[in-house]
Amino acid sequence: MQINFKTISEPGLPGSKWQNMFFTHWEAYKKWLIENEKEVPTADLETSQLALKTYMPELWPTYERLCYLVNADELGAKFLTGYQPPFYVSGCSNAILEGDDFQLVRNYDHHPDLFEGIQILTKWNQKKVIATSDCLIGILDGINEDGLVVSLTFGGRKITGEGFGIPFILRYVLEFCSNVDEAVDALIRIPSHMAYNVSVADKSGSYKTIRVAPDEKAVITNSAYTTNHQKKVDWPENARFNKTVERSLFLSHLLEEKDLSSEDLVSAFLRKPLYNDLFKEGFGTLFTAAYSPKSGRVGLHWPGKKISQGFDDFEEREESIHLHQRRKKRSKNNQFAMPYKGYAAKTITYSNPLLNKATSEKSKEITKEFLKEVWSSTKS
């Protein structure tokens, strides 16, 4: 199995390169939207455009240009507002390393067939932005030329509500915010239609993690790491499958290690338990990104391969990334179907939480008690 990954440079108003990206992926998105609309009707075009003008008015001229470039029909124009997209699920882990090697590192875990596979350099408004594309206009993670970095992880909840898809909100943040404080204000103000944890960091060394959800006020935290749950586990089947608690505990131990370097952190993200290889089941690590806010650089990593980019030396290239699923098939016991981007994945399984063998005996006892408490409190 492989993904074809491209880096695209179009540092000006959206033009032919974005247009080509849209037409490459639009039919797949269109099918997804039509299929979901049959079951869960969403907001109409007028409502969606009004929401965009209300919450992200600075983005309106860009939106109009994008619609013009592709001669967007009603469905396309509604989708490009970012308002009320269908429910979808991903994995992901984020961690922030403080100190001289200050950086944000993340894994993006999802189905290979549902990944655009594009890193794009743009300047749609006043700021240059390097980001991993999602939903054609949105982003999964990225950095702007002011040194502001953003990255998302799914919040592990089934709840949906009125709001924007988080990739569209993150695009807005990088287009119009310069630092952590401005990013936090935007994330509090703009409603998200699903639950997410958003990590933000800037070149001053400041960072925050904001928990957003459609049914409650955003929560600002000082957490340096996040996986796929928020203040508690709300979706136990999903949590068991993606091992969000185990990954969270692993990161908490990892970031406490003395003399942890940026290279050490990236290396840890390329190994289990953070790195996932269930690609056929729809949950594999599609890339590891390491953002350095102070230098304005980003490194994209895969086992045995790396792409390093900056604003002054961004290079267009194409790479074939080979994805290897080494893990044996799991037992057919305790199966459930995990939806992703509106489609039901193949039936997948989960196992009980496993302890990190590298932790001390004392840590293991603490972990055992913690897991016992978490899982017993979430039984349905």
Side-chain angles (χ1 to χ4, degrees):
M1 184 180 297
Q2 72 176 33
I3 55 174
N4 296 315
F5 193 86
K6 294 182 179 180
T7 62
I8 298 172
S9 177
E10 195 170 43
L13 292 175
S16 60
K17 292 184 180 180
W18 181 86
Q19 185 183 53
N20 182 64
M21 188 177 84
F22 177 92
F23 287 122
T24 298
H25 297 283
W26 172 237
E27 286 304 316
Y29 279 113
K30 185 176 181 179
K31 180 179 179 181
W32 171 52
L33 295 169
I34 291 173
E35 288 299 317
N36 281 274
E37 194 75 18
K38 293 176 182 177
E39 298 183 7
V40 185
T42 57
D44 59 26
L45 177 59
E46 182 179 359
T47 301
S48 301
Q49 290 181 334
L50 178 60
L52 181 61
K53 290 179 179 178
T54 301
Y55 291 102
M56 296 183 277
E58 303 93 332
L59 202 55
W60 181 257
T62 301
Y63 165 77
E64 287 189 307
R65 180 175 177 82
L66 296 177
C67 289
Y68 171 77
L69 282 174
V70 298
N71 191 25
D73 59 12
E74 182 173 344
L75 183 62
K78 185 173 74 168
F79 178 62
L80 290 175
T81 66
Y83 192 67
Q84 295 295 104
F87 176 83
Y88 53 89
V89 175
S90 61
C92 313
S93 304
N94 284 346
I96 296 171
L97 180 65
E98 299 182 73
D100 294 338
D101 283 346
F102 184 61
Q103 69 171 353
L104 184 152
V105 181
R106 64 98 95 257
N107 275 0
Y108 179 65
D109 303 329
H110 201 32
H111 198 292
D113 294 342
L114 303 175
F115 179 45
E116 289 178 11
I118 294 172
Q119 180 190 60
I120 185 168
L121 167 64
T122 61
K123 191 177 181 182
W124 290 353
N125 294 282
Q126 287 78 39
K127 304 178 191 296
K128 286 184 179 180
V129 172
I130 298 175
T132 314
S133 177
D134 189 55
C135 294
L136 301 173
I137 184 176
I139 64 172
L140 301 168
D141 49 73
I143 184 171
N144 67 24
E145 61 182 332
D146 292 331
L148 178 64
V149 174
V150 297
S151 180
L152 64 85
T153 68
F154 173 55
R157 302 180 60 200
K158 295 180 181 179
I159 186 73
T160 60
E162 295 181 1
F164 294 86
I166 199 68
F168 299 85
I169 299 174
L170 296 195
R171 165 61 76 177
Y172 174 86
V173 168
L174 289 190
E175 293 289 330
F176 300 104
C177 299
S178 298
N179 54 49
V180 165
D181 290 341
E182 292 178 2
V184 169
D185 288 345
L187 289 163
I188 291 173
R189 179 177 58 82
I190 303 170
S192 171
H193 92 303
M194 288 176 58
Y196 285 93
N197 307 306
V198 181
S199 298
V200 295
D202 64 33
K203 63 182 180 182
S204 74
S206 176
Y207 68 86
K208 295 291 182 182
T209 294
I210 304 92
R211 298 198 301 256
V212 299
D215 61 337
E216 58 186 33
K217 291 183 178 180
V219 178
I220 306 167
T221 78
N222 295 316
S223 178
Y225 60 92
T226 177
T227 53
N228 300 126
H229 59 281
Q230 294 189 318
K231 56 188 175 182
K232 64 183 180 71
V233 173
D234 289 272
W235 188 2
E237 295 88 354
N238 178 259
R240 290 190 181 103
F241 171 73
N242 67 34
K243 299 187 182 299
T244 179
V245 174
E246 294 90 327
R247 287 183 285 122
S248 180
L249 287 168
F250 179 85
L251 286 172
S252 71
H253 291 307
L254 180 66
L255 293 177
E256 290 175 356
E257 290 187 5
K258 293 182 179 180
D259 301 321
L260 180 69
S261 69
S262 55
E263 292 80 8
D264 294 334
L265 186 57
V266 171
S267 179
F269 270 76
L270 291 170
R271 301 193 308 268
K272 296 176 183 178
L274 301 179
Y275 185 87
N276 294 288
D277 63 1
L278 291 175
F279 300 107
K280 295 178 181 179
E281 286 85 348
F283 185 67
T285 298
L286 302 184
F287 67 90
T288 298
Y291 287 94
S292 300
K294 295 180 180 180
S295 64
R297 299 197 66 82
V298 53
L300 295 179
H301 301 259
W302 297 268
K305 185 167 293 191
K306 175 184 177 180
I307 297 175
S308 179
Q309 302 277 33
F311 290 99
D312 295 329
D313 60 351
F314 191 94
E315 178 186 357
E316 290 192 320
R317 58 197 293 179
E318 294 187 24
E319 296 282 351
S320 294
I321 310 298
H322 297 278
L323 306 173
H324 302 286
Q325 181 164 331
R326 299 183 180 88
R327 188 177 302 178
K328 294 181 179 179
K329 291 184 178 180
R330 297 181 181 183
S331 165
K332 293 185 178 180
N333 297 325
N334 300 325
Q335 294 180 336
F336 79 104
M338 184 179 77
Y340 56 87
K341 286 200 173 183
Y343 293 103
K346 294 179 180 178
T347 301
I348 52 180
T349 61
Y350 60 82
S351 60
N352 290 327
L354 300 176
L355 301 179
N356 175 19
K357 295 181 180 179
T359 58
S360 66
E361 291 302 317
K362 183 178 180 180
S363 295
K364 285 183 179 181
E365 291 303 315
I366 294 174
T367 304
K368 285 180 180 178
E369 290 303 314
F370 177 77
L371 292 175
K372 181 179 179 182
E373 177 182 352
V374 169
W375 295 118
S376 63
S377 66
T378 57
K379 288 181 179 179
S380 57

